[in-house]
Amino acid sequence: MKGETMKAYLILEDGHIFEGESFGSTKEVICEFVFNTSMTGYVEVLTDPSYAGQGVVMTYPLIGNYGVCLDDQESSQPHVEGFVVNELSRKGSHFRKHMELEDYLIENDIPGIQGIDTRYLTKLIRDKGCMNGMITTTYYDDRNKVLEKIKDYRVKGVVEETTCQKAYTLGNGKIRVALYDFGAKKNIVMELVKRGCCVTVYPAWTLAEDILKENYDGVMLSNGPGDPKECQAIIQQIRILKESHIPIFAICLGHQLMALAHGFETEKLKYGHHGANHPVKDMNTKRVYISTQNHNYVVKNIDKKIAKTWFLNVNDNTIEGIEYLKENIKTVQFHPEACAGPTDTGYLFDEFIEMMGGNQNA
């Protein structure tokens, strides 16, 4: 209950146990833990569907200082399973604030733990890789049994959990875009709408033929959670889409799914890219941009006869963008809608508009 101090424990699958203080919901949860290096934007992090099945460790030491503005949500509800911070600010201060962070987590039944050494925890995840863990207010004497339960957890079926249930349309522009929702962030749609697009958002299981018969000017493949190789039925529909030669722009999971549809491979990173300070290099211009990212999987390799690397991650040289040579398709691993985060790569939405014929239809 809010106002009462209650012990909480973060138990990792490798046996590490962190003792701290519970905030938010007191329910027990098992999930995969990753860390996010953003200094701000915790509301956007909490509501990013790409975090479904995961708990987030915020590396910035003070979280909650500006409360929660509901207008900043990237979806209709939070998708993070658990929230780990060094210090919770119980009283946020901002003129746009609707409520306190702790109240928000209580309302949405998300457990949090504060007062632990998030610097040590982050270094642990960097060393051993992202791992499963449990947030609980129960002290377990039989830890071996708990560890077995934690190790058995797998992130599965999360695209189906986060996609919309039926199609809907936003915007009234003359450029008509179909957006596949694999767990789409709200700001992707907003970036298209403000550029004169009428965007129809479709559930992840929508058939390609249902999209193509509507004669859209272009197709957007959204971000989303989980292992892209799980989405075999979706990949098959993307194969049909790409053969139609319709302009396609894809972000994050959509980028990975398009690569798999072309026969490329994906792999899981040790601890992923999560934050708003990741440098990516445009291989055409050699210019470096700072990007927002949230993913555990990357495209491992490409066939140079089919595609070329568009962007590279400056830190680890992983593929961050792909241009397809014989199709009107471009994809990026990072988030050009950047909410929260830098707006350096927002111009990529302008390039998508140009791919669809520019403003000639406006």
Side-chain angles (χ1 to χ4, degrees), residues 83-361:
F83 205 44
V84 183
V85 303
N86 176 262
E87 181 182 352
L88 171 71
S89 177
R90 296 190 184 275
K91 189 69 175 177
S93 177
H94 197 278
F95 72 97
R96 296 174 66 241
K97 184 186 77 172
H98 290 110
M99 60 198 306
E100 304 298 347
L101 175 58
E102 182 169 23
D103 293 330
Y104 183 71
L105 295 184
I106 291 172
E107 184 175 294
N108 290 281
D109 200 24
I110 298 173
I113 180 172
Q114 71 149 335
I116 69 171
D117 188 344
T118 50
R119 180 179 175 84
Y120 177 76
L121 175 56
T122 299
K123 292 172 72 174
L124 185 65
I125 295 174
R126 282 180 61 92
D127 181 49
K128 295 191 173 184
C130 57
M131 65 183 87
N132 294 344
M134 171 192 285
I135 294 178
T136 181
T137 57
T138 301
Y139 182 83
Y140 287 97
D141 291 320
D142 188 354
R143 294 177 182 174
N144 290 331
K145 188 174 182 179
V146 173
L147 289 176
E148 287 179 14
K149 187 178 179 182
I150 293 172
K151 290 176 182 178
D152 287 341
Y153 176 81
R154 293 292 180 271
V155 178
K156 290 184 178 180
V158 282
V159 169
E160 292 80 0
E161 291 177 9
T162 56
T163 187
C164 61
Q165 297 304 301
K166 61 181 181 180
Y168 61 93
T169 299
L170 293 172
N172 55 10
K174 293 185 178 180
I175 302 175
R176 299 174 61 245
V177 177
L179 188 150
Y180 263 95
D181 178 8
F182 305 134
K185 294 171 67 179
K186 177 185 69 176
N187 211 45
I188 293 176
V189 179
M190 294 300 99
E191 288 292 328
L192 292 170
V193 168
K194 76 181 186 181
R195 286 171 169 82
C197 295
C198 175
V199 183
T200 301
V201 183
Y202 286 93
W205 53 77
T206 303
L207 297 177
E209 63 183 51
D210 291 337
I211 300 292
L212 294 173
K213 70 183 181 183
E214 296 295 330
N215 295 314
Y216 287 101
D217 295 303
V219 174
M220 185 97 198
L221 306 182
S222 84
N223 63 294
D227 185 345
K229 292 179 181 177
E230 273 195 1
C231 305
Q232 291 302 314
I234 297 173
I235 293 168
Q236 181 56 38
Q237 297 307 309
I238 293 176
R239 289 194 182 104
I240 298 172
L241 279 177
K242 76 181 184 65
E243 293 299 326
S244 73
H245 299 290
I246 190 170
I248 300 175
F249 183 40
I251 292 173
C252 198
L253 179 62
H255 157 85
Q256 298 161 12
L257 295 175
M258 181 59 74
L260 290 171
H262 280 84
F264 305 158
E265 289 294 319
T266 57
E267 64 180 349
K268 189 173 185 179
L269 293 172
K270 187 174 182 179
Y271 48 83
H273 299 153
H274 310 277
N277 55 357
H278 292 266
V280 295
K281 184 176 184 179
D282 184 331
M283 301 307 292
N284 295 329
T285 66
K286 308 305 179 184
R287 183 173 178 178
V288 175
Y289 300 89
I290 302 301
S291 69
T292 294
Q293 302 198 15
N294 176 23
H295 59 98
N296 273 352
Y297 295 85
V298 292
V299 177
K300 184 178 181 180
N301 51 41
I302 62 174
D303 184 340
K304 294 182 179 179
K305 296 178 182 178
I306 299 174
K308 69 176 183 177
T309 299
W310 185 13
F311 287 91
L312 271 183
N313 189 295
V314 175
N315 291 333
D316 59 15
N317 288 321
T318 52
I319 296 172
E320 292 281 0
I322 299 174
E323 288 183 286
Y324 290 85
L325 303 178
K326 298 180 180 179
E327 298 154 318
N328 197 7
I329 300 172
K330 294 183 177 182
T331 71
V332 291
Q333 180 63 76
F334 52 90
H335 288 266
E337 83 286 350
C339 204
T343 58
D344 292 27
T345 56
Y347 72 91
L348 296 180
F349 286 99
D350 298 319
E351 291 197 6
F352 182 41
I353 300 299
E354 292 177 7
M355 289 167 62
M356 295 186 289
N359 293 320
Q360 64 185 26
N361 296 324

